[in-house]
């Protein structure tokens, strides 16, 4: 089964260590049960039981310690991280969150040249510690140019750290907090580490009303020596964005896990209901919503898996991951919202009931597009790649599936964060033209029209500075990238043509929707509007394909998984 099912946990990854971790994690949550899981959520209980389990089984140590810093099973392997991300999201966003912010906290450490701090981090991971990423600030958010955290020289190579940090997950118990700051009067940027138990570290409050601890903390002239410095200057600056490159990818996987669990619960409920003398699942609109939700969920997973291959294959010469990662962050997470909305429209009032997983999913799914940069921030990044993507392709060796047991070394040596406009991509047209499926062909025609739009009705200088206009353009471009990697992975995973064509049924409709939005922008010209209307197309109708997807893949999930009370 392509979707995660904890009751029939498929060993889709060749690593036996990962598979054992997944089995033990499933056993932990299933033994806890849905009732206790929900009650802990309502009571905002700090998840000490989960962290004790992680410590006992050395899970974070195994998955988050790069090769050479831990035992033989330890490595930083994105393919393993994806699977664990998905599973934690499946059971609850708070459990995923403590893992996610530990990843972020470790980023500047593993990217550092300070070997002693790296060895300390490895020892702490082995002891079951969690970590935190001290970047955001109350007044500036993630605007790192304006950081008010000061690292004040105190002589003899020592410093005093003074300032406030905000939105810092794990800030209550992190053994090492990677803190971003700068020297006074326009001095150099720096990353340094502090300990949340130090007397000069003031834990102000949890700024969220959740099980997770999202801290505000203040450093009151916290003593920092050269031995506590991770990086300075350009290295520190690069570490901020390169850490986010690693971390933002995980949000898509949390989304996939949440939506999968919610899908099971929704279809179990709807299949057992009858209204107006009919089974709920016999209503035409319910069938359509379930098929769309399933197709969107499968597409999310196909894309995210394929993006991981490019992340693992990245190098200084191949930085395509810098486009695919924000697409996972922006597109997969917003598709998660759309999937939950479709399922919620089916189960209606049931989605509010306090004893359902769905009630938690409907709340938590909203958070993911808003973490590590909002949707508009990610689209603004994505459009930087559009010129080369459409008009300047390059030749690359084919990237295979990457499940091999190697450390992803390049992720900690990504280098300078500039030069995004120079990154080139393999020719997307080859992938689309090789697929004869009807809706893929319609979508390919839409792409050709959009490319022509960019060439002949190019947004002018004013429009290119108009974020609202660019967001609409960026949504269309993102769809093209999304579809390309979905098709690549559909071939690699031998995905049923019916499922692929059903995915592109909604892709055609979404392209039409975004074209209409672009048409309606105040600044769109007559020529641009004409192209937008040409982009509005109807997906190819195939009742046989639709019914096969409904019967074989969607309604067959009824009763497959339900979390015990």
């Amino acid at each position: 089964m392509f979707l995660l099912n904890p009751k029939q946990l498929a060993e889709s990854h060749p690593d036996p260590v990962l598979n054992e971790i997944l089995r033990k994690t499933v056993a932990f949550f299933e033994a806890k049960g849905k009732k206790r899981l929900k009650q802990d959520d309502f009571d905002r209980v700090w998840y000490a039981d989960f962290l004790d389990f992680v410590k006992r089984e050395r899970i974070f140590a195994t998955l988050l310690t790069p090769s050479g810093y831990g035992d033989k099973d330890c490595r930083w392997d994105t393919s393993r991280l994806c699977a664990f991300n998905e599973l934690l999201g499946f059971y609850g966003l708070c459990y995923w969150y403590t893992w996610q912010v530990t990843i972020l906290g470790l980023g500047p450490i593993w990217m550092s040249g300070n070997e002693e701090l790296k060895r300390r981090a490895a020892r702490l991971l082995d002891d079951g510690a969690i970590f935190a990423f001290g970047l955001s600030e109350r007044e500036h958010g993630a605007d790192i140019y304006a950081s008010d955290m000061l690292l004040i020289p105190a002589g003899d190579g020592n410093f005093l750290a003074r300032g406030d940090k905000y939105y810092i997950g794990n800030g209550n118990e992190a053994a090492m907090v990677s803190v971003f700051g700068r020297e006074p009067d326009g001095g150099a940027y720096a990353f340094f580490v502090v300990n949340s138990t130090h007397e000069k570290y003031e834990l102000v409050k949890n700024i969220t009303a959740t099980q997770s601890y999202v801290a505000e903390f203040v450093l009151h002239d916290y003593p920092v020596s050269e031995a506590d410095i991770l990086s300075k200057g350009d290295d520190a600056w690069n570490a901020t964005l390169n850490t986010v490159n690693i971390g933002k990818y995980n949000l898509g996987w949390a989304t996939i896990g949440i939506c999968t669990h919610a899908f099971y619960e929704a279809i179990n409920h709807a299949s057992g209901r009858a209204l107006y003398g009919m089974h709920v699942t016999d209503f035409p609109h319910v069938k359509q919503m379930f098929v769309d939700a399933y197709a969107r969920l499968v597409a999310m997973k196909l894309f995210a898996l394929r993006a991981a291959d490019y992340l693992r294959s990245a190098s200084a010469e191949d930085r395509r991951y810098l486009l695919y990662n924000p697409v996972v962050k922006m597109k997969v997470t917003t598709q998660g919202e759309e999937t939950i909305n479709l399922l919620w429209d089916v189960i209606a009032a049931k989605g509010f009931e306090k004893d359902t997983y769905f009630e938690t999913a409907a709340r938590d799914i909203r958070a993911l597009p808003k973490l590590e940069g909002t949707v508009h921030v990610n689209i603004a990044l994505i459009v930087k790649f559009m010129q080369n993507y459409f008009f300047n392709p390059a030749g690359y060796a084919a990237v295979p599936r990457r499940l091999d047991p190697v450390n992803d070394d390049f992720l900690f040596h990504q280098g300078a964060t500039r030069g995004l406009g120079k990154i080139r991509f393999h020719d997307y047209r080859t992938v689309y033209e090789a697929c004869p499926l009807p809706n893929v062909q319609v979508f390919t025609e839409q792409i050709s029209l959009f490319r022509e739009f960019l060439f002949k009705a190019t947004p002018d200088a004013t429009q290119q500075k108009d974020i609202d206009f660019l967001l609409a353009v960026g949504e269309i471009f993102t769809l093209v990238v999304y579809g390309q990697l979905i098709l690549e992975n559909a071939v690699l995973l031998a995905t049923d043509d019916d499922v692929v064509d059903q995915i592109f049924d909604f892709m055609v409709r979404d392209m039409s929707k975004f074209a209409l939005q672009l048409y309606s922008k105040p600044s769109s010209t007559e020529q641009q509007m004409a192209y937008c209307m040409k982009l509005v197309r109807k997906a190819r109708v195939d009742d046989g394909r639709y019914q096969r997807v409904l019967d074989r893949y969607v309604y067959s999930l009824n009763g497959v998984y339900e979390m015990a009370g």
Side-chain angles (χ1 to χ4, degrees):
M1 182 188 296
F2 187 67
L3 298 183
L4 170 66
N5 178 3
K7 295 289 178 69
Q8 299 174 18
L9 202 58
E11 294 195 356
S12 56
H13 197 287
D15 182 49
V17 174
L18 171 67
N19 290 323
E20 184 64 16
I21 286 172
L22 297 179
R23 282 193 293 270
K24 288 180 177 179
T25 305
V26 166
F28 169 82
F29 283 111
E30 293 294 334
K32 187 166 185 171
K34 183 164 67 173
K35 183 177 181 180
R36 170 77 185 283
L37 201 74
K38 293 288 298 187
Q39 195 61 50
D40 282 357
D41 177 47
F42 295 142
D43 295 339
R44 301 172 192 166
V45 175
W46 174 249
Y47 27 76
D49 59 339
F50 173 66
L51 294 177
D52 286 343
F53 160 73
V54 165
K55 176 180 180 179
R56 184 170 64 250
E57 300 297 338
R58 301 183 63 259
I59 293 175
F60 287 9
T62 301
L63 298 179
L64 300 181
T65 306
S67 297
Y69 292 91
D71 67 25
K72 62 180 178 62
D73 293 325
C74 295
R75 66 178 184 273
W76 192 287
D77 174 342
T78 299
S79 68
R80 299 201 304 181
L81 304 190
C82 293
F84 196 62
N85 268 300
E86 181 182 22
L87 188 60
L88 291 185
F90 187 95
Y91 284 109
L93 188 64
C94 64
Y95 303 100
W96 168 86
Y97 182 72
T98 192
W99 149 268
Q100 159 73 356
V101 290
T102 289
I103 287 173
L104 291 171
L106 287 167
I109 297 173
W110 299 138
M111 292 175 192
S112 170
N114 189 325
E115 285 298 318
E116 180 50 42
L117 289 180
K118 291 159 83 168
R119 299 291 175 188
R120 186 197 305 175
R123 290 192 298 270
L124 288 167
L125 275 170
D126 203 51
D127 290 339
I130 55 177
F131 293 72
F133 186 52
L135 184 67
S136 296
E137 296 179 4
R138 182 169 189 165
E139 301 301 326
H140 308 293
D143 179 5
I144 54 182
Y145 293 98
S147 177
D148 286 335
M149 175 63 71
L150 296 180
L151 198 60
I152 302 166
D156 298 325
N158 296 312
F159 303 86
L160 295 175
R162 183 183 303 162
D164 176 275
K165 291 292 181 180
Y166 208 72
Y167 301 126
I168 311 303
N170 288 351
N172 58 326
E173 289 195 3
M176 293 174 77
V177 184
S178 301
V179 181
F180 182 77
R182 60 180 175 84
E183 295 184 29
D185 303 320
Y189 292 113
F191 252 118
F192 56 96
V193 296
V194 302
N195 189 299
S196 64
T197 63
H198 195 281
E199 63 181 358
K200 297 296 185 179
Y201 179 105
E202 179 192 355
L203 184 64
V204 179
K205 63 181 177 181
N206 185 351
I207 64 172
T208 64
T210 64
Q211 282 183 264
S212 300
Y213 203 106
V214 186
E216 176 184 11
F217 71 79
V218 181
L219 300 183
H220 297 285
D221 288 348
Y222 187 110
V224 176
S225 71
E226 280 288 352
D228 300 314
I229 303 292
L230 290 166
S231 52
K232 284 186 175 181
D234 289 345
D235 288 341
W237 176 266
N238 292 333
T240 64
L241 300 180
N242 289 336
T243 294
V244 172
N245 289 341
I246 295 172
K248 74 167 55 177
Y249 180 85
N250 300 321
L251 288 99
W253 281 103
T255 303
I256 293 165
I258 290 171
C259 290
T260 303
H261 195 158
F263 193 100
Y264 289 132
E265 199 171 61
I267 201 162
N268 290 347
H269 171 71
S271 298
R273 295 273 289 171
L275 294 173
Y276 312 113
M278 290 179 64
H279 290 292
V280 166
T281 47
D282 288 336
F283 284 106
H285 68 292
V286 169
K287 293 179 182 179
Q288 183 67 60
M289 286 187 281
F290 267 130
V291 168
D292 269 4
Y294 177 82
R296 289 180 188 275
L297 180 51
V298 171
M300 288 155 60
K301 192 165 181 178
L302 283 170
F303 183 86
L305 281 170
R306 186 60 177 150
D309 295 334
Y310 286 97
L311 185 61
R312 299 201 73 199
S313 300
S315 67
E317 294 73 37
D318 182 358
R319 302 170 72 203
R320 288 175 287 177
Y321 74 104
L322 291 175
L323 168 59
Y324 305 145
N325 274 24
V327 174
V328 174
K329 161 64 185 70
M330 183 279 284
K331 189 65 179 178
V332 172
T333 58
T334 53
Q335 284 292 286
E337 287 190 288
E338 181 69 20
T339 299
I340 292 294
N341 288 342
L342 288 163
L343 297 173
W344 207 348
D345 280 345
V346 171
I347 67 173
K350 186 71 177 179
F352 292 95
E353 292 186 14
K354 67 178 183 179
D355 59 351
T356 63
Y357 173 87
F358 199 98
E359 178 266 344
T360 307
R363 177 197 68 201
D364 289 345
I365 203 70
R366 311 299 172 198
L368 291 155
K370 301 167 182 64
L371 298 172
E372 319 306 338
T374 53
V375 169
H376 66 268
V377 169
N378 281 281
I379 290 183
L381 172 61
I382 287 166
V383 295
K384 293 178 184 293
F385 304 99
M386 189 161 60
Q387 177 73 22
N388 276 349
Y389 181 91
F390 279 115
F391 301 108
N392 193 22
Y396 289 96
V399 171
R401 289 191 74 194
R402 290 297 309 275
L403 301 178
D404 42 319
V406 296
N407 199 69
D408 295 340
D409 292 328
F410 176 75
L411 299 185
F412 304 112
H413 302 90
Q414 296 175 61
T417 57
R418 59 184 177 271
L420 301 184
K422 297 180 180 179
I423 297 172
R424 296 170 68 188
F425 301 86
H426 56 301
D427 196 332
Y428 66 93
R429 290 170 294 190
T430 304
V431 178
Y432 281 105
E433 291 168 1
C435 184
L437 296 174
N439 281 311
V440 175
Q441 291 302 301
V442 175
F443 192 74
T444 303
E445 293 166 7
Q446 289 175 304
I447 295 171
S448 296
L449 285 166
F450 180 63
R451 186 178 185 274
E452 189 175 323
F453 163 94
L454 292 174
F455 186 71
K456 294 184 177 180
T458 311
D460 61 28
T462 301
Q463 289 173 326
Q464 290 180 40
K465 294 178 181 178
D466 180 351
I467 296 298
D468 185 53
F469 185 89
L470 279 184
L471 287 176
V473 173
E475 287 280 14
I476 296 175
F477 173 44
T478 301
L479 266 182
V480 180
V481 179
Y482 197 59
Q484 179 192 351
L485 265 61
I486 287 168
L487 285 179
E488 288 184 14
N489 217 12
V491 172
L492 291 172
L493 299 178
T495 307
D496 188 339
D497 282 352
D498 283 342
V499 173
V500 177
D501 204 41
Q502 194 64 49
I503 286 171
F504 278 85
D505 179 288
F506 82 72
M507 295 279 282
V508 169
R509 287 182 274 132
D510 283 1
M511 178 76 87
S512 301
K513 176 183 70 175
F514 291 130
L516 186 58
Q517 290 177 5
L518 185 58
Y519 174 96
S520 303
K521 294 301 176 185
S523 66
S524 57
T525 67
E526 290 295 329
Q527 186 183 22
Q528 289 169 344
M529 291 163 64
Y531 271 109
C532 289
M533 292 311 296
K534 291 178 182 178
L535 280 169
V536 176
R537 301 289 299 276
K538 181 176 179 176
R540 298 281 177 85
V541 176
D542 184 334
D543 292 335
R545 177 205 70 223
Y546 175 84
Q547 192 64 41
R548 289 191 297 273
V549 171
L550 181 69
D551 293 339
R552 294 176 185 174
Y553 297 100
V554 182
Y555 282 177
S556 63
L557 295 177
N558 175 32
V560 165
Y561 173 83
E562 184 171 1
M563 190 174 184

